[in-house]
Amino acid sequence: MSLKFFDKLSQNLIELLNDKDDYNVIIEVENKEKSFTAHSNVLKFRSSYFRKELENIQPNENNIKIIIKSSISAQIFNVVLRYIYGGIVDLENCETRFIYDLMLAADEFELEELTNKLETLLIETKGSWLRTHFSFIYHFIFKRNDFKKLKIFCNDIVVKYPKLIFDADDFTSLEESALVSLLKRNDLQIEEVKIWDYVIKWGITQASIPSINLKDWTKENFFKLKTTLQQCLPHIRYFHLTSIEVVDKIEPYRKILDKQLWKDINQHLLIPERPVKSIILPPRLVLITELPPRAEQSFSTIISEEHAAEISTWIDRRETAYTLTNIPYKFELILRGTQDGFAPQTFWNMCHGHVGTVVLVKVKGTDEIIGGYNPLTWDKNTDGEWMETKDSFIFSLKNGNIENSILSRVTKPEYAILNRSKNNQIKNGPVFGDFWMYSRKSDFTLDDSFYCLSFGCYYEKSIRSSPSSELPSIINYEVFKIVKKNL
């Protein structure tokens, strides 16, 4: 039988870390502005990274070895060091970005146990944050050899929603390992001929071929493209392309294919039952082009068609209300909290660039539905900028025990709408003068999530009967783009 006393051992080692006697290592971080003392034997046996570093560093005149890690923050390294000594990581009240940065630091210091634990924690509990910062995370993790679970998590999203990566502005800068990992997937939901187009586009950029006009290409251009795509080309499902697709898309680039493969592709088109020498990969899973019949679903989980007619009436400033049969606008969903997450940053990422939008909020514990209309453009790239308009309004809608809707039009147009600065988007959502959404915990459902003035300051009147000191959270919120119907 073994008696284990890990808690006491951890406590003693933390005390050793805090003891400023007998240290023989100094680690300088934050551009050498902060430093930590440590003991070489502890570092070497806990981290292979520190073992290698310490073996290559000569001690100074005081027999102290100095390690410089300028890019690591003091806050992050303090957590890393306490983990190395005591095996304890306190993440209470830590923001998700801190946990993510801590995972990257743990990986850099080759702390496999901590890296794996944080990676699992992010996937299992911070999925909404990962989706909000998807492009940034996706491009970064494939630059590293680790994070296998995160790579699978991200690729599971990409194969279902490939436009996130393939139609992004930075697609051609994607790491080769990321592209190959997607091409290997049988469930990548893109038509094979389009996959070929994306691969060629990526390859041309990566190979720095100046012209996309094949008439201008030299043998060297084709050779560079073939070399660049040598890891990608084996994963194209050539034998599942139509004859037209082969002629129009593949044939112009036949010089980058092996001669046997090109011969087999042509033979397969003419005599599909005859065996070929090349490997025939299985077709990708059939794309679902039509949804099965089902009961008609409402366009919104918060408002009804009647509400949409009322909001449309307000937008057009009509005295006669629109009916269900003559609503002139389509409400196109941009964001739904229960679907896309409740992080404020999600609003700015998904609504950026959209013009003419309605924000709808379902208040927790009440029948209230409140919101605002912005005829202008949401812009996440400003330093915090008020936008002037005479056409915005805020409102509460008739619902449940709420007997009448309230419309409140802007009275100070210069303070109608606020685009939050980048630094404030982590906790702050949209702002309509007297009504704005925010969250101290960066999740609208976890704490006070919106604020409405109890008196009209920038708009005509309050849209809530409760005093402004009552700051409730929300059940859900949606953002719709208001688009004129083709009547």
Side-chain angles (χ1 to χ4, degrees):
M1 180 178 69
S2 298
L3 300 177
K4 299 179 180 181
F5 303 95
F6 292 141
D7 289 346
K8 183 63 175 176
L9 175 62
S10 174
Q11 179 184 338
N12 291 153
L13 286 170
I14 291 293
E15 291 170 356
L16 174 65
L17 174 63
N18 294 332
D19 187 356
K20 297 306 177 183
D21 295 331
D22 301 324
Y23 67 86
N24 62 347
V25 178
I26 294 176
I27 303 100
E28 296 181 348
V29 301
E30 280 190 20
N31 296 318
K32 301 183 181 181
E33 293 184 6
K34 303 284 185 180
S35 64
F36 295 84
T37 59
H39 307 80
S40 59
N41 284 336
V42 176
L43 296 179
K44 286 193 296 184
F45 283 98
R46 290 285 283 160
S47 165
S48 57
Y49 169 86
F50 281 115
R51 176 178 292 277
K52 289 178 286 188
E53 281 289 301
L54 291 168
E55 286 175 352
N56 296 321
I57 295 176
Q58 293 297 319
N60 62 16
E61 64 276 8
N62 297 318
N63 204 33
I64 303 293
K65 292 188 176 183
I66 299 176
I67 298 174
I68 298 174
K69 297 297 295 181
S70 296
S71 61
I72 301 292
S73 75
Q75 188 180 9
I76 290 286
F77 191 73
N78 180 57
V79 176
V80 168
L81 207 52
R82 291 180 72 84
Y83 163 77
I84 289 175
Y85 274 76
I88 297 174
V89 175
D90 182 9
L91 299 177
E92 191 71 27
N93 299 322
C94 286
E95 293 188 354
T96 306
R97 179 57 191 263
F98 180 87
I99 298 173
Y100 176 77
D101 289 341
L102 178 60
M103 179 192 70
L104 300 184
D107 178 64
E108 183 175 351
F109 292 122
E110 299 177 18
L111 302 170
E112 185 177 353
E113 177 191 47
L114 179 57
T115 303
N116 290 339
K117 192 70 175 179
L118 294 173
E119 187 179 12
T120 300
L121 178 68
L122 285 169
I123 291 171
E124 293 181 352
T125 67
K126 306 296 181 181
S128 174
W129 185 89
L130 292 174
R131 292 182 181 90
T132 301
H133 302 82
F134 188 82
S135 181
F136 159 73
I137 292 170
Y138 192 82
H139 280 261
F140 185 84
I141 61 174
F142 277 95
K143 294 178 181 178
R144 312 280 279 261
N145 292 325
D146 298 311
F147 311 126
K148 291 181 180 178
K149 288 179 286 188
L150 260 180
K151 289 174 182 177
I152 293 173
F153 172 85
C154 289
N155 273 350
D156 284 345
I157 293 174
V158 175
V159 295
K160 294 179 182 178
Y161 307 102
K163 289 184 178 181
L164 286 172
I165 295 300
F166 287 87
D167 285 351
D169 293 337
D170 54 0
F171 165 70
T172 53
S173 65
L174 191 66
E175 288 291 312
E176 181 184 52
S177 60
L179 181 57
V180 171
S181 71
L182 290 169
L183 297 177
K184 288 180 177 180
R185 295 283 294 252
N186 290 334
D187 53 349
L188 179 57
Q189 298 293 286
I190 313 179
E191 295 174 43
E192 200 65 35
V193 68
K194 291 183 179 179
I195 292 176
W196 171 263
D197 287 339
Y198 283 120
V199 169
I200 293 298
K201 176 183 177 182
W202 181 87
I204 289 173
T205 302
Q206 291 286 319
S208 301
I209 298 174
S211 173
I212 60 173
N213 189 345
L214 295 181
K215 293 180 180 179
D216 299 331
W217 281 32
T218 63
K219 288 183 179 180
E220 183 183 356
N221 293 143
F222 282 104
F223 179 77
K224 285 179 67 176
L225 183 61
K226 181 178 181 177
T227 303
T228 301
L229 295 179
Q230 60 183 326
Q231 299 299 321
C232 299
L233 295 176
H235 304 292
I236 301 296
R237 316 302 163 95
Y238 303 99
F239 298 96
H240 302 288
L241 295 170
T242 67
S243 57
I244 293 177
E245 290 169 344
V246 169
V247 171
D248 289 349
K249 298 293 186 176
I250 308 298
E251 196 274 340
Y253 294 94
R254 67 186 182 278
K255 293 179 182 179
I256 72 172
L257 302 180
D258 291 336
K259 291 182 179 179
Q260 184 62 51
L261 174 59
W262 178 240
K263 179 180 178 181
D264 287 343
I265 292 171
N266 283 284
Q267 176 187 305
H268 184 75
L269 290 175
L270 294 172
I271 317 171
E273 64 275 9
R274 179 174 292 181
V276 296
K277 294 182 180 180
S278 302
I279 296 174
I280 298 181
L281 297 173
R284 301 189 196 275
L285 297 181
V286 178
L287 295 170
I288 300 174
T289 55
E290 293 184 7
L291 293 174
R294 62 177 181 176
E296 189 170 340
Q297 193 173 17
S298 173
F299 73 100
S300 170
T301 62
I302 296 178
I303 64 171
S304 64
E305 292 282 354
E306 286 82 1
H307 288 135
E310 188 169 33
I311 294 170
S312 299
T313 300
W314 294 337
I315 291 173
D316 286 350
R317 297 178 179 267
R318 279 172 57 103
E319 293 184 5
T320 305
Y322 286 120
T323 66
L324 297 184
T325 60
N326 68 348
I327 300 175
Y329 299 107
K330 293 185 292 183
F331 282 56
E332 295 184 351
L333 183 67
I334 301 172
L335 183 159
R336 177 172 290 144
T338 53
Q339 171 180 299
D340 302 303
F342 292 92
Q345 187 68 57
T346 301
F347 170 83
W348 295 104
N349 289 346
M350 298 187 71
C351 298
H352 172 71
H354 284 289
V355 181
T357 55
V358 168
V359 177
L360 299 163
V361 174
K362 184 71 177 71
V363 184
K364 184 177 181 180
T366 74
D367 292 322
E368 289 180 278
I369 299 172
I370 62 175
Y373 170 66
N374 175 17
L376 305 178
T377 306
W378 294 113
D379 187 350
K380 69 176 184 178
N381 295 323
T382 73
D383 293 326
E385 194 174 278
W386 283 102
M387 298 189 294
E388 182 174 352
T389 176
K390 296 179 180 179
D391 296 321
S392 66
F393 55 83
I394 57 178
F395 56 85
S396 63
L397 297 173
K398 178 181 178 180
N399 184 52
N401 294 324
I402 310 299
E403 295 183 359
N404 297 299
S405 298
I406 299 175
L407 168 64
S408 180
R409 294 194 181 277
V410 63
T411 55
K412 293 186 177 179
E414 65 272 26
Y415 298 110
I417 308 291
L418 175 63
N419 278 320
R420 289 288 191 181
S421 65
K422 290 184 178 180
N423 292 336
N424 286 322
Q425 290 169 15
I426 295 175
K427 296 185 178 182
N428 291 273
V431 177
F432 296 86
D434 298 340
F435 158 54
W436 63 93
M437 296 177 65
Y438 76 98
S439 170
R440 288 183 290 252
K441 297 180 180 178
S442 297
D443 186 320
F444 292 134
T445 63
L446 295 183
D447 62 343
D448 307 339
S449 59
F450 71 87
Y451 188 78
C452 288
L453 294 179
S454 58
F455 54 90
C457 184
Y458 304 122
Y459 286 72
E460 291 174 329
K461 53 192 169 185
S462 174
I463 57 174
R464 298 192 71 222
S465 58
S466 300
S468 59
S469 58
E470 292 186 16
L471 306 176
S473 59
I474 69 176
I475 298 172
N476 194 13
Y477 85 111
E478 296 173 334
V479 183
F480 289 93
K481 185 172 184 176
I482 308 303
V483 180
K484 194 78 172 180
K485 292 180 180 178
N486 294 322
L487 300 177

